[in-house]
Amino acid sequence: MAVPGSHANRIADTFNPVATPAHMEKGIAILTIAICGVIFVIVAGLIVYAFVHYRVKRDEREFEEPPQIYGSNQIELAWTVIPILIVFVLIGVSARVIRAIQAHQPAPHSDPVYATVVGHQWWWEVHYPNLGITTANEIHVPVSHDGRHATFFTLESADVDHSFWVPQLSGKTDVIPNRNNFVWMDPSKAGVYIGQCAEYCGTQHAHMGLRVVAQPLPEFRKWAAAEAKPAVEDPSVAKDKAVFDSLACINCHTVRGTIAQGTFGPDLTHLMSRQTLGAGVLSNTPQHLRDWVNDPQKYKVGCKMPDMHLDDQQLTEVVAYLETLK
């Protein structure tokens, strides 16, 4: 059943790459598809030929044993050697591309961005250690036309195996507990690129989406400067903030500049600057925010955020405060 505001039906086109790693991997994909296509045509053609050529003729008895044709050493050798050669070709091409991607380092005099992405059941925590930023499920990176502003990610897991995949920007990379993996991307076009956890990690695996927002460098720097600031104190919602501070929300979430310093759930300091809620299950609108706070289990069964059983007034006050976190 479709979830209101869900972005699960958005398509990320693997064959429309906009970053160097994805371009390189597209070449492997096309080569593999071409080889498999040729194999399919040959095998299907031989099957059709056998059906037609060796079918029972009308003047032959229905249950008569057909003529027996014994094997050919040349053919048997060919269908053994050729698949082996194909496998080695694909292994060699893949290994060369993987090595080139993994060995890539920031160019001299470049200005790369560094980020750490932590996979949780079922959301993504994102840290920019050099910028003092922590966010969730939405990764901002600069456009890098000349490779000078590529973004380099360290991938970690807080619980089980995950897989980080943004098809138009990079290939799948495992996110494994107690091990750091690495990936990089240099998008050449501004835009929002849809990603997904690509390894089954529990009941809400399919709702562990992410977005990479590629921005021109000035816009990225403007976003980073805003994200690095603590939450704005809005006197008009002081009463609403007091209600939020009195709830268990502050044990799980951080709102920088306040007493909320929890690390179990996503950082909420600039919640309303994000496009989605719940790692993509709902678009981030005031009504959806109210729906999510009221009963997150309705939209993401089994997620770690419980139903707080707020009455209508408390719900209104908490949402009013959260809406100021821009």
PDB file of all heavy atoms in Angstrom, residues 76-99:
ATOM      1  N   GLU A  76      32.058 -29.160 -27.545  1.00  0.00           N
ATOM      2  CA  GLU A  76      32.142 -29.254 -26.086  1.00  0.00           C
ATOM      3  C   GLU A  76      33.301 -28.428 -25.541  1.00  0.00           C
ATOM      4  O   GLU A  76      33.190 -27.780 -24.492  1.00  0.00           O
ATOM      5  CB  GLU A  76      32.284 -30.715 -25.676  1.00  0.00           C
ATOM      6  CG  GLU A  76      31.029 -31.529 -25.929  1.00  0.00           C
ATOM      7  CD  GLU A  76      31.213 -33.001 -25.605  1.00  0.00           C
ATOM      8  OE1 GLU A  76      32.331 -33.360 -25.164  1.00  0.00           O
ATOM      9  OE2 GLU A  76      30.256 -33.772 -25.785  1.00  0.00           O
ATOM     10  N   LEU A  77      34.411 -28.425 -26.266  1.00  0.00           N
ATOM     11  CA  LEU A  77      35.544 -27.615 -25.855  1.00  0.00           C
ATOM     12  C   LEU A  77      35.210 -26.130 -25.952  1.00  0.00           C
ATOM     13  O   LEU A  77      35.549 -25.343 -25.063  1.00  0.00           O
ATOM     14  CB  LEU A  77      36.762 -27.941 -26.734  1.00  0.00           C
ATOM     15  CG  LEU A  77      38.084 -27.267 -26.354  1.00  0.00           C
ATOM     16  CD1 LEU A  77      38.522 -27.718 -24.965  1.00  0.00           C
ATOM     17  CD2 LEU A  77      39.161 -27.569 -27.384  1.00  0.00           C
ATOM     18  N   ALA A  78      34.503 -25.759 -27.018  1.00  0.00           N
ATOM     19  CA  ALA A  78      34.147 -24.345 -27.216  1.00  0.00           C
ATOM     20  C   ALA A  78      33.228 -23.839 -26.116  1.00  0.00           C
ATOM     21  O   ALA A  78      33.429 -22.745 -25.562  1.00  0.00           O
ATOM     22  CB  ALA A  78      33.494 -24.166 -28.584  1.00  0.00           C
ATOM     23  N   TRP A  79      32.167 -24.648 -25.756  1.00  0.00           N
ATOM     24  CA  TRP A  79      31.240 -24.114 -24.759  1.00  0.00           C
ATOM     25  C   TRP A  79      31.794 -24.218 -23.334  1.00  0.00           C
ATOM     26  O   TRP A  79      31.151 -23.798 -22.378  1.00  0.00           O
ATOM     27  CB  TRP A  79      29.858 -24.731 -24.887  1.00  0.00           C
ATOM     28  CG  TRP A  79      29.662 -26.165 -24.462  1.00  0.00           C
ATOM     29  CD1 TRP A  79      30.219 -26.823 -23.424  1.00  0.00           C
ATOM     30  CD2 TRP A  79      28.788 -27.110 -25.093  1.00  0.00           C
ATOM     31  NE1 TRP A  79      29.765 -28.105 -23.349  1.00  0.00           N
ATOM     32  CE2 TRP A  79      28.865 -28.313 -24.362  1.00  0.00           C
ATOM     33  CE3 TRP A  79      27.933 -27.056 -26.186  1.00  0.00           C
ATOM     34  CZ2 TRP A  79      28.138 -29.449 -24.707  1.00  0.00           C
ATOM     35  CZ3 TRP A  79      27.198 -28.191 -26.516  1.00  0.00           C
ATOM     36  CH2 TRP A  79      27.318 -29.371 -25.784  1.00  0.00           C
ATOM     37  N   THR A  80      32.981 -24.788 -23.196  1.00  0.00           N
ATOM     38  CA  THR A  80      33.682 -24.744 -21.907  1.00  0.00           C
ATOM     39  C   THR A  80      34.662 -23.572 -21.856  1.00  0.00           C
ATOM     40  O   THR A  80      34.702 -22.808 -20.886  1.00  0.00           O
ATOM     41  CB  THR A  80      34.435 -26.049 -21.651  1.00  0.00           C
ATOM     42  OG1 THR A  80      33.512 -27.137 -21.660  1.00  0.00           O
ATOM     43  CG2 THR A  80      35.164 -26.007 -20.308  1.00  0.00           C
ATOM     44  N   VAL A  81      35.434 -23.412 -22.926  1.00  0.00           N
ATOM     45  CA  VAL A  81      36.489 -22.384 -22.940  1.00  0.00           C
ATOM     46  C   VAL A  81      35.905 -20.979 -23.075  1.00  0.00           C
ATOM     47  O   VAL A  81      36.330 -20.050 -22.381  1.00  0.00           O
ATOM     48  CB  VAL A  81      37.485 -22.670 -24.083  1.00  0.00           C
ATOM     49  CG1 VAL A  81      38.483 -21.513 -24.223  1.00  0.00           C
ATOM     50  CG2 VAL A  81      38.230 -23.965 -23.822  1.00  0.00           C
ATOM     51  N   ILE A  82      34.930 -20.810 -23.981  1.00  0.00           N
ATOM     52  CA  ILE A  82      34.390 -19.466 -24.230  1.00  0.00           C
ATOM     53  C   ILE A  82      33.776 -18.848 -22.972  1.00  0.00           C
ATOM     54  O   ILE A  82      34.072 -17.690 -22.629  1.00  0.00           O
ATOM     55  CB  ILE A  82      33.383 -19.488 -25.397  1.00  0.00           C
ATOM     56  CG1 ILE A  82      34.124 -19.789 -26.712  1.00  0.00           C
ATOM     57  CG2 ILE A  82      32.635 -18.164 -25.504  1.00  0.00           C
ATOM     58  CD1 ILE A  82      33.232 -19.957 -27.910  1.00  0.00           C
ATOM     59  N   PRO A  83      32.906 -19.566 -22.200  1.00  0.00           N
ATOM     60  CA  PRO A  83      32.391 -18.961 -20.964  1.00  0.00           C
ATOM     61  C   PRO A  83      33.496 -18.607 -19.973  1.00  0.00           C
ATOM     62  O   PRO A  83      33.409 -17.579 -19.288  1.00  0.00           O
ATOM     63  CB  PRO A  83      31.472 -20.048 -20.401  1.00  0.00           C
ATOM     64  CG  PRO A  83      31.040 -20.839 -21.584  1.00  0.00           C
ATOM     65  CD  PRO A  83      32.233 -20.848 -22.487  1.00  0.00           C
ATOM     66  N   ILE A  84      34.539 -19.434 -19.892  1.00  0.00           N
ATOM     67  CA  ILE A  84      35.646 -19.120 -18.987  1.00  0.00           C
ATOM     68  C   ILE A  84      36.326 -17.819 -19.413  1.00  0.00           C
ATOM     69  O   ILE A  84      36.627 -16.949 -18.582  1.00  0.00           O
ATOM     70  CB  ILE A  84      36.659 -20.282 -18.956  1.00  0.00           C
ATOM     71  CG1 ILE A  84      36.040 -21.499 -18.271  1.00  0.00           C
ATOM     72  CG2 ILE A  84      37.938 -19.862 -18.231  1.00  0.00           C
ATOM     73  CD1 ILE A  84      36.913 -22.736 -18.304  1.00  0.00           C
ATOM     74  N   LEU A  85      36.554 -17.665 -20.721  1.00  0.00           N
ATOM     75  CA  LEU A  85      37.176 -16.436 -21.217  1.00  0.00           C
ATOM     76  C   LEU A  85      36.293 -15.221 -20.935  1.00  0.00           C
ATOM     77  O   LEU A  85      36.793 -14.150 -20.553  1.00  0.00           O
ATOM     78  CB  LEU A  85      37.444 -16.560 -22.723  1.00  0.00           C
ATOM     79  CG  LEU A  85      38.509 -17.587 -23.141  1.00  0.00           C
ATOM     80  CD1 LEU A  85      38.604 -17.661 -24.655  1.00  0.00           C
ATOM     81  CD2 LEU A  85      39.858 -17.229 -22.528  1.00  0.00           C
ATOM     82  N   ILE A  86      34.975 -15.380 -21.116  1.00  0.00           N
ATOM     83  CA  ILE A  86      34.049 -14.270 -20.855  1.00  0.00           C
ATOM     84  C   ILE A  86      34.117 -13.858 -19.388  1.00  0.00           C
ATOM     85  O   ILE A  86      34.176 -12.666 -19.050  1.00  0.00           O
ATOM     86  CB  ILE A  86      32.613 -14.663 -21.241  1.00  0.00           C
ATOM     87  CG1 ILE A  86      32.494 -14.783 -22.763  1.00  0.00           C
ATOM     88  CG2 ILE A  86      31.606 -13.647 -20.710  1.00  0.00           C
ATOM     89  CD1 ILE A  86      31.172 -15.345 -23.239  1.00  0.00           C
ATOM     90  N   VAL A  87      34.115 -14.846 -18.487  1.00  0.00           N
ATOM     91  CA  VAL A  87      34.184 -14.549 -17.057  1.00  0.00           C
ATOM     92  C   VAL A  87      35.468 -13.795 -16.719  1.00  0.00           C
ATOM     93  O   VAL A  87      35.456 -12.799 -15.989  1.00  0.00           O
ATOM     94  CB  VAL A  87      34.086 -15.855 -16.229  1.00  0.00           C
ATOM     95  CG1 VAL A  87      34.435 -15.576 -14.765  1.00  0.00           C
ATOM     96  CG2 VAL A  87      32.696 -16.443 -16.330  1.00  0.00           C
ATOM     97  N   PHE A  88      36.597 -14.235 -17.281  1.00  0.00           N
ATOM     98  CA  PHE A  88      37.874 -13.572 -16.994  1.00  0.00           C
ATOM     99  C   PHE A  88      37.908 -12.159 -17.565  1.00  0.00           C
ATOM    100  O   PHE A  88      38.497 -11.252 -16.969  1.00  0.00           O
ATOM    101  CB  PHE A  88      39.038 -14.406 -17.520  1.00  0.00           C
ATOM    102  CG  PHE A  88      39.489 -15.466 -16.559  1.00  0.00           C
ATOM    103  CD1 PHE A  88      39.115 -16.787 -16.725  1.00  0.00           C
ATOM    104  CD2 PHE A  88      40.276 -15.129 -15.461  1.00  0.00           C
ATOM    105  CE1 PHE A  88      39.520 -17.769 -15.823  1.00  0.00           C
ATOM    106  CE2 PHE A  88      40.686 -16.103 -14.557  1.00  0.00           C
ATOM    107  CZ  PHE A  88      40.306 -17.425 -14.734  1.00  0.00           C
ATOM    108  N   VAL A  89      37.295 -11.959 -18.722  1.00  0.00           N
ATOM    109  CA  VAL A  89      37.223 -10.605 -19.294  1.00  0.00           C
ATOM    110  C   VAL A  89      36.438  -9.681 -18.363  1.00  0.00           C
ATOM    111  O   VAL A  89      36.874  -8.556 -18.047  1.00  0.00           O
ATOM    112  CB  VAL A  89      36.582 -10.633 -20.689  1.00  0.00           C
ATOM    113  CG1 VAL A  89      36.216  -9.216 -21.141  1.00  0.00           C
ATOM    114  CG2 VAL A  89      37.529 -11.270 -21.698  1.00  0.00           C
ATOM    115  N   LEU A  90      35.276 -10.144 -17.884  1.00  0.00           N
ATOM    116  CA  LEU A  90      34.449  -9.326 -16.994  1.00  0.00           C
ATOM    117  C   LEU A  90      35.160  -9.074 -15.668  1.00  0.00           C
ATOM    118  O   LEU A  90      35.093  -7.972 -15.117  1.00  0.00           O
ATOM    119  CB  LEU A  90      33.095  -9.995 -16.759  1.00  0.00           C
ATOM    120  CG  LEU A  90      32.178 -10.077 -17.987  1.00  0.00           C
ATOM    121  CD1 LEU A  90      30.902 -10.837 -17.647  1.00  0.00           C
ATOM    122  CD2 LEU A  90      31.835  -8.685 -18.494  1.00  0.00           C
ATOM    123  N   ILE A  91      35.839 -10.102 -15.145  1.00  0.00           N
ATOM    124  CA  ILE A  91      36.593  -9.927 -13.903  1.00  0.00           C
ATOM    125  C   ILE A  91      37.695  -8.885 -14.099  1.00  0.00           C
ATOM    126  O   ILE A  91      37.898  -7.987 -13.272  1.00  0.00           O
ATOM    127  CB  ILE A  91      37.201 -11.260 -13.431  1.00  0.00           C
ATOM    128  CG1 ILE A  91      36.101 -12.198 -12.931  1.00  0.00           C
ATOM    129  CG2 ILE A  91      38.229 -11.024 -12.324  1.00  0.00           C
ATOM    130  CD1 ILE A  91      36.598 -13.583 -12.577  1.00  0.00           C
ATOM    131  N   GLY A  92      38.414  -8.984 -15.212  1.00  0.00           N
ATOM    132  CA  GLY A  92      39.503  -8.054 -15.455  1.00  0.00           C
ATOM    133  C   GLY A  92      39.036  -6.617 -15.600  1.00  0.00           C
ATOM    134  O   GLY A  92      39.615  -5.698 -15.008  1.00  0.00           O
ATOM    135  N   VAL A  93      37.967  -6.420 -16.381  1.00  0.00           N
ATOM    136  CA  VAL A  93      37.438  -5.060 -16.567  1.00  0.00           C
ATOM    137  C   VAL A  93      36.915  -4.512 -15.248  1.00  0.00           C
ATOM    138  O   VAL A  93      37.177  -3.350 -14.888  1.00  0.00           O
ATOM    139  CB  VAL A  93      36.335  -5.075 -17.639  1.00  0.00           C
ATOM    140  CG1 VAL A  93      35.652  -3.714 -17.717  1.00  0.00           C
ATOM    141  CG2 VAL A  93      36.902  -5.440 -18.998  1.00  0.00           C
ATOM    142  N   SER A  94      36.176  -5.336 -14.513  1.00  0.00           N
ATOM    143  CA  SER A  94      35.618  -4.877 -13.228  1.00  0.00           C
ATOM    144  C   SER A  94      36.722  -4.529 -12.240  1.00  0.00           C
ATOM    145  O   SER A  94      36.665  -3.500 -11.551  1.00  0.00           O
ATOM    146  CB  SER A  94      34.705  -5.959 -12.633  1.00  0.00           C
ATOM    147  OG  SER A  94      33.626  -6.243 -13.492  1.00  0.00           O
ATOM    148  N   ALA A  95      37.756  -5.379 -12.167  1.00  0.00           N
ATOM    149  CA  ALA A  95      38.850  -5.134 -11.231  1.00  0.00           C
ATOM    150  C   ALA A  95      39.579  -3.838 -11.567  1.00  0.00           C
ATOM    151  O   ALA A  95      39.963  -3.070 -10.670  1.00  0.00           O
ATOM    152  CB  ALA A  95      39.822  -6.311 -11.246  1.00  0.00           C
ATOM    153  N   ARG A  96      39.756  -3.578 -12.861  1.00  0.00           N
ATOM    154  CA  ARG A  96      40.450  -2.350 -13.268  1.00  0.00           C
ATOM    155  C   ARG A  96      39.654  -1.112 -12.858  1.00  0.00           C
ATOM    156  O   ARG A  96      40.219  -0.143 -12.335  1.00  0.00           O
ATOM    157  CB  ARG A  96      40.665  -2.354 -14.782  1.00  0.00           C
ATOM    158  CG  ARG A  96      41.371  -1.120 -15.318  1.00  0.00           C
ATOM    159  CD  ARG A  96      41.653  -1.270 -16.805  1.00  0.00           C
ATOM    160  NE  ARG A  96      40.444  -1.463 -17.566  1.00  0.00           N
ATOM    161  CZ  ARG A  96      39.645  -0.458 -17.971  1.00  0.00           C
ATOM    162  NH1 ARG A  96      39.939   0.788 -17.653  1.00  0.00           N
ATOM    163  NH2 ARG A  96      38.566  -0.718 -18.680  1.00  0.00           N
ATOM    164  N   VAL A  97      38.332  -1.153 -13.079  1.00  0.00           N
ATOM    165  CA  VAL A  97      37.494  -0.008 -12.726  1.00  0.00           C
ATOM    166  C   VAL A  97      37.412   0.161 -11.210  1.00  0.00           C
ATOM    167  O   VAL A  97      37.526   1.277 -10.686  1.00  0.00           O
ATOM    168  CB  VAL A  97      36.084  -0.169 -13.334  1.00  0.00           C
ATOM    169  CG1 VAL A  97      35.134   0.898 -12.795  1.00  0.00           C
ATOM    170  CG2 VAL A  97      36.160  -0.086 -14.844  1.00  0.00           C
ATOM    171  N   ILE A  98      37.238  -0.944 -10.491  1.00  0.00           N
ATOM    172  CA  ILE A  98      37.162  -0.868  -9.028  1.00  0.00           C
ATOM    173  C   ILE A  98      38.456  -0.290  -8.457  1.00  0.00           C
ATOM    174  O   ILE A  98      38.434   0.568  -7.571  1.00  0.00           O
ATOM    175  CB  ILE A  98      36.873  -2.261  -8.430  1.00  0.00           C
ATOM    176  CG1 ILE A  98      35.450  -2.696  -8.780  1.00  0.00           C
ATOM    177  CG2 ILE A  98      37.064  -2.247  -6.911  1.00  0.00           C
ATOM    178  CD1 ILE A  98      35.146  -4.137  -8.434  1.00  0.00           C
ATOM    179  N   ARG A  99      39.578  -0.742  -8.981  1.00  0.00           N
ATOM    180  CA  ARG A  99      40.867  -0.241  -8.497  1.00  0.00           C
ATOM    181  C   ARG A  99      41.002   1.256  -8.772  1.00  0.00           C
ATOM    182  O   ARG A  99      41.471   2.020  -7.918  1.00  0.00           O
ATOM    183  CB  ARG A  99      42.012  -1.008  -9.149  1.00  0.00           C
ATOM    184  CG  ARG A  99      43.393  -0.539  -8.704  1.00  0.00           C
ATOM    185  CD  ARG A  99      44.490  -1.368  -9.358  1.00  0.00           C
ATOM    186  NE  ARG A  99      45.815  -0.865  -9.021  1.00  0.00           N
ATOM    187  CZ  ARG A  99      46.445  -1.101  -7.886  1.00  0.00           C
ATOM    188  NH1 ARG A  99      45.872  -1.858  -6.963  1.00  0.00           N
ATOM    189  NH2 ARG A  99      47.647  -0.605  -7.661  1.00  0.00           N
TER     190      ARG A  99
END
